[in-house]
Amino acid sequence: MKVGIIGCGAIANIITTSIVPEDNGIEIAYFFDKDIERAENLASLAGGVAALNFDEMVDNVDLVLECASPDSVRHFAPKVLAKGRDMIVMSIGAFMDFDFYTEIEEIAKQNGAKIHLPSGAIVGLDGIRAVAKFGLEEVSLVTRKSPKSLGRDINEIEVLFEGKASQAVKEFPLNINVAATISLACQRDIDVKIIVDPNVDRNVHEITARGDFGEFKTTTMNYPCAANPKTSMLAALSAIRLLKSFNETICVGM
Ligand SMILES: NC(=O)c1ccc[n+]([C@@H]2O[C@H](COP(=O)([O-])OP(=O)(O)OC[C@H]3O[C@@H](n4cnc5c(N)ncnc54)[C@H](O)[C@@H]3O)[C@@H](O)[C@H]2O)c1
């Protein structure tokens, strides 16, 4: 499987350095970034090509992996899917715009392409998907991050946001993809609280779900990526697992 990457930052670096040395049937062949130097650096590390021409990259791969920004999804996803290429999208907040969601779902359907949204920085999505249509009454997310991760200069614990996921992704587009992922998994605008906490050094996500099935709570305490403290290591690891699953015969826990 030939892959092209959009966005050569923290997530792309972790994925590339993990996938490239292994014999796993995945070739990360092209690297695209608005900062060409970043694309060149990662391409030379991986023995791939820094793409100057986006269309040429899409023509020469089976799948495009987006790890850039919600704006890049809005701009590039329609072009990729119109060419019938599958996508993995990390900037999942872009899908909280319902018009955009339906537009690109339609383009993908018409061209036989699939859009994969990895579980990212949280655990528990398998359970949320399973109960979504079976009496799920309440889902909420509490995210707790350090001031550095949230890009704030604050010395005390403070609730930065309390409201719906659709609003959270507008106010924190690069920080709260998990809220979008949970909302899309259960097809409802979930309740979100974002807390900045100078006492934590991890990105912590607590999910609570209640309904006819009972109740579950998950807590994920992620180490931030050194290259980008907004991003958790687990987000990159979930994309690596997803990429590898395409070549597996038996897929567990998907
Ligand atoms: N799904 C999840 O759970 C999850 C978790 C963490 C991060 N993310 C998202 O994944 C994305 C990447 O995260 P990261 O930590 O690697 O970010 P990063 O800032 O380290 O790297 C992003 C790279 O993309 C490039 N870029 C940005 N916009 C672009 C565009 N329009 N065209 C081409 N290149 C562009 C930047 O130059 C940069 O090199 C972000 O949108 C982030 O919010 C998702």
Side-chain angles (χ1 to χ4, degrees):
M1 181 176 56
K2 260 186 159 180
V3 176
I5 288 187
I6 307 173
C8 300
I11 291 182
N13 269 273
I14 296 167
I15 293 172
T16 303
T17 49
S18 166
I19 292 284
V20 167
E22 287 181 1
D23 180 16
N24 48 32
I26 302 164
E27 182 193 352
I28 307 185
Y30 288 87
F31 297 84
F32 182 84
D33 199 295
K34 64 182 180 184
D35 178 344
I36 184 66
E37 214 174 295
R38 286 185 164 208
E40 283 170 353
N41 287 344
L42 206 51
S44 76
L45 194 91
V49 174
L52 296 173
N53 181 325
F54 185 77
D55 288 327
E56 193 183 305
M57 166 171 111
V58 178
D59 287 338
N60 286 294
V61 297
D62 305 300
L63 179 141
V64 172
L65 165 58
E66 178 281 330
C67 29
S69 63
D71 277 349
S72 78
V73 179
R74 285 185 276 274
H75 186 71
F76 293 116
K79 298 180 191 196
V80 173
L81 300 165
K83 288 184 185 249
R85 302 298 191 268
D86 292 347
M87 277 195 91
I88 295 177
V89 173
M90 295 305 299
S91 306
I92 294 173
F95 288 85
M96 290 300 279
D97 173 346
F98 187 66
D99 290 341
F100 178 72
Y101 182 105
T102 46
E103 179 199 330
I104 69 157
E105 185 183 36
E106 196 49 41
I107 297 172
K109 270 187 190 160
Q110 280 175 8
N111 295 284
K114 283 214 181 290
I115 305 161
H116 303 274
L117 307 181
S119 52
I122 42 171
V123 297
L125 271 183
D126 51 348
I128 288 173
R129 288 180 59 209
V131 302
K133 294 255 161 57
F134 295 93
L136 178 62
E137 283 159 14
E138 185 198 323
V139 193
S140 61
L141 167 74
V142 179
T143 288
R144 189 180 288 267
K145 290 188 174 185
S146 68
K148 196 174 163 200
S149 280
L150 282 160
R152 301 289 161 122
D153 188 12
I154 289 173
N155 298 320
E156 289 175 357
I157 296 175
E158 193 177 315
V159 176
L160 281 190
F161 177 88
E162 203 161 2
K164 291 291 179 189
S166 54
Q167 189 57 31
V169 298
K170 282 184 193 147
E171 292 187 31
F172 301 88
L174 298 180
N175 236 308
I176 198 80
N177 288 284
V178 292
T181 314
I182 300 167
S183 285
L184 293 168
C186 64
Q187 292 174 2
R188 66 184 72 186
D189 203 0
I190 65 158
D191 296 314
V192 177
K193 193 191 265 192
I194 303 173
I195 299 168
V196 60
D197 186 343
N199 307 309
V200 298
D201 61 355
R202 307 201 192 167
N203 297 333
V204 182
H205 302 293
E206 291 172 322
I207 303 170
T208 304
R210 281 192 197 91
D212 294 349
F213 60 93
E215 176 175 346
F216 65 74
K217 290 174 189 280
T218 72
T219 304
T220 317
M221 301 170 78
N222 291 305
Y223 285 124
C225 293
N228 182 0
K230 291 188 180 71
T231 288
S232 302
M233 271 298 288
L234 183 62
L237 301 181
S238 78
I240 292 168
R241 184 84 287 282
L242 178 60
L243 266 173
K244 289 183 177 175
S245 74
F246 298 142
N247 288 333
E248 289 170 353
T249 307
I250 298 178
C251 298
V252 181
M254 306 305 279

